[in-house]
Amino acid sequence: MSERPDSAGPDPDDTFEEFAELVEEETRRDPDLAVIEAGSRTLRTQGGPPQADVPARPADPELDKALREVEAELATRWGETKLEPSVDRIAALMDVLGEPQRSYPSIHITGTNGKTSTARMIEALLGAFDLRTGRYTSPHVQSVTERISLDGAPVSAERFVETYQDVKPYVEMVDAAQEYRLSFFEVLTGMAYAAFADAPVDVAVVEVGMGGTWDATNVIDAGVAVITPIDLDHTDRLGGTPAEIAGEKAGVIKPQATVVMAQQPVDAAQVLLKKAVELDATVAREGLEFGVLDRQVAVGGQLMTLRGLGGEYTEVFLPLHGAHQAHNAAVALAAVEAFFGVGSQHAQPLDIDTVRKAFASVASPGRMEVVRRSPTVVLDAAHNPAGARAAADTIGEAFQFSRLIGVVGASGDKNVRELLEAFEPVFAEVVVTQNSSHRAMDADALAAIAVEVFGEDRVQVEPRLPDALEAAITLAEEEGEFAGGGVLVTGSVITVGEARLLLGKG
């Protein structure tokens, strides 16, 4: 049976339905007045918009060479799409390393979409409350060092190389004893857990790579398990229905933990709740125990009122766009409240000024990130249909382009047709391309599907990403300097990362 932590607020079953209606309701005010009002609100936040923390290559040639050597050695291992579903190898590595992952408490995050943004928000909140954090997320946008963060920033290239050299002898010991060598992701996971113990951190925020039960990260006993929205992705590995996928992701739930659960498909929610009951875990559900009470578009992001486990948090500015990010924020807030015992050990809410400061500092590179103006170029790492639908909704709400050109480069193992269908209503034209990954779908194959979705007249093919960006920017400029054309680059984290470099970021 799911259990609602004690709270000082009103009974959510009686009130949350009207709150949900507020979330879904579109702003009906005069657009100019809305912009003016939103601008006045953002003045109350401290400082300007946060800067995305994507590191560049090391300036020191010797350090850059050392990092490239580590990257080359990691690249000889199984990639992240080649899996042998087991935690045996990572458990063996943790054993020879002295179980570093047990030297700090952790928050474990799984789900289909929103994991990285939610992890960044959790990290910002914990850091604002003077806790030293370690964050492990994947995949990276530009640099592999992004995956391991300490104190809210990616580890330096020097520290990344040192950590690899420290664990390398132990990795080789495990390789020699196992049927299969440790994979790329398993080695990085071991590095992260070792780096966190060495720091040391007060709390680790850990995002799963895929699934949950047999994911390499699942050698921690997290007191808080976070499950972001579940949808269809990696169906060849996790199952063909939300319920089957939820069964795999429920593996992060540990006995007597607190489960913070975003809104889920009914069949997925049933699986997660059943697992929680079996493990005597407490459940906090979005829409019942916590959630988004109100959100309004503001300059550079949105202004939110959140319902947490301990009460309401008003006038919270988030410099990220989209309803999905507001929901991620509600999940992140509930997770941090649960970590601090709000709703179970006590009902006192977190300090509102600290919460506001933390959310105002959040950045999420490659998630509705503006990297150029005139015309505006936006990057979003949507790579599955659910992510594409969220991106399509957000681009209309936050940017209001008169003409939007899409640049799409996707991976071959994704549901590309539904991804393109989600963008069809918002793209005037689409330029299909491919990134440098071996997983990338061939541009011509992608174009064939795009023609079926958009029609031949709306599709342009540019196999090289630099040419695709140039073509899209040219198309966006056709209406004139002040016409409001824009470009959205999407389809893959790798496509977004490469575009980010080409456009001068990092």
Side-chain angles (χ1 to χ4, degrees), residues 106-110 134-136 193 196 204-208 217 220:
S106 53
I107 297 174
H108 208 175
I109 307 168
T110 190
R135 171 172 53 84
Y136 181 53
Y193 289 160
F196 297 161
V205 182
V206 178
E207 174 190 340
V208 304
T217 62
I220 53 176

Side-chain angles (χ1 to χ4, degrees), residues 152-232:
V155 295
S156 65
E158 183 177 21
R159 188 160 192 167
F160 187 89
V161 171
E162 288 174 352
T163 302
Y164 177 76
Q165 296 299 341
D166 285 345
V167 305
K168 182 178 177 180
Y170 301 96
V171 167
E172 292 173 346
M173 286 173 55
V174 174
D175 284 344
Q178 296 289 322
E179 182 179 1
Y180 304 106
R181 297 170 72 214
L182 287 154
S183 70
F184 169 87
F185 186 73
E186 287 168 333
V187 174
L188 279 176
T189 302
M191 288 172 59
Y193 289 160
F196 297 161
D198 185 58
V201 301
D202 297 315
V203 54
V205 182
V206 178
E207 174 190 340
V208 304
M210 186 187 299
T213 301
W214 40 259
D215 186 74
T217 62
N218 202 28
V219 288
I220 53 176
D221 292 319
V224 178
V226 176
I227 304 174
T228 66
I230 290 173
D231 211 298
L232 299 181

Side-chain angles (χ1 to χ4, degrees), residues 98-283:
E99 304 291 346
Q101 81 283 12
R102 305 202 187 284
S103 63
Y104 40 80
S106 53
I107 297 174
H108 208 175
I109 307 168
T110 190
T112 301
N113 289 307
K115 296 187 295 297
T116 297
S117 293
T118 302
R120 286 175 170 271
M121 294 178 198
I122 291 172
E123 173 189 53
L125 284 162
L126 293 168
F129 284 98
D130 297 324
L131 292 182
R132 188 170 200 198
T133 57
R135 171 172 53 84
Y136 181 53
T137 53
S138 60
H140 56 274
V141 177
Q142 286 175 206
S143 171
V144 69
T145 61
E146 296 166 39
R147 296 184 181 225
I148 305 172
S149 289
L150 292 171
D151 298 317
V155 295
S156 65
E158 183 177 21
R159 188 160 192 167
F160 187 89
V161 171
E162 288 174 352
T163 302
Y164 177 76
Q165 296 299 341
D166 285 345
V167 305
K168 182 178 177 180
Y170 301 96
V171 167
E172 292 173 346
M173 286 173 55
V174 174
D175 284 344
Q178 296 289 322
E179 182 179 1
Y180 304 106
R181 297 170 72 214
L182 287 154
S183 70
F184 169 87
F185 186 73
E186 287 168 333
V187 174
L188 279 176
T189 302
M191 288 172 59
Y193 289 160
F196 297 161
D198 185 58
V201 301
D202 297 315
V203 54
V205 182
V206 178
E207 174 190 340
V208 304
M210 186 187 299
T213 301
W214 40 259
D215 186 74
T217 62
N218 202 28
V219 288
I220 53 176
D221 292 319
V224 178
V226 176
I227 304 174
T228 66
I230 290 173
D231 211 298
L232 299 181
D233 199 8
H234 301 295
T235 53
D236 57 328
R237 297 284 184 179
L238 304 179
T241 67
E244 290 175 346
I245 294 172
E248 290 294 337
K249 295 184 183 294
V252 302
I253 302 173
K254 299 302 189 292
Q256 299 181 325
T258 299
V259 183
V260 176
M261 198 167 81
Q263 291 179 342
Q264 303 290 351
V266 173
D267 55 346
Q270 290 173 338
V271 171
L272 297 171
L273 291 170
K274 181 180 178 183
K275 183 71 169 181
V277 169
E278 292 172 355
L279 296 174
D280 193 27
T282 301
V283 178

Side-chain angles (χ1 to χ4, degrees), residues 440-453:
M441 175 175 275
D442 177 76
D444 289 332
L446 180 57
I449 301 172
V451 166
E452 294 176 6
V453 174

Side-chain angles (χ1 to χ4, degrees), residues 70-102:
V70 171
E71 291 169 330
E73 289 186 27
L74 289 170
T76 65
R77 298 180 175 275
W78 278 1
E80 290 170 280
T81 58
K82 187 172 183 179
L83 305 167
E84 192 278 318
S86 164
V87 294
D88 292 346
R89 290 173 303 282
I90 188 68
L93 179 60
M94 292 297 99
D95 181 52
V96 297
L97 287 173
E99 304 291 346
Q101 81 283 12
R102 305 202 187 284

Side-chain angles (χ1 to χ4, degrees), residues 117 360 364 377:
S117 293
S364 195
V377 178

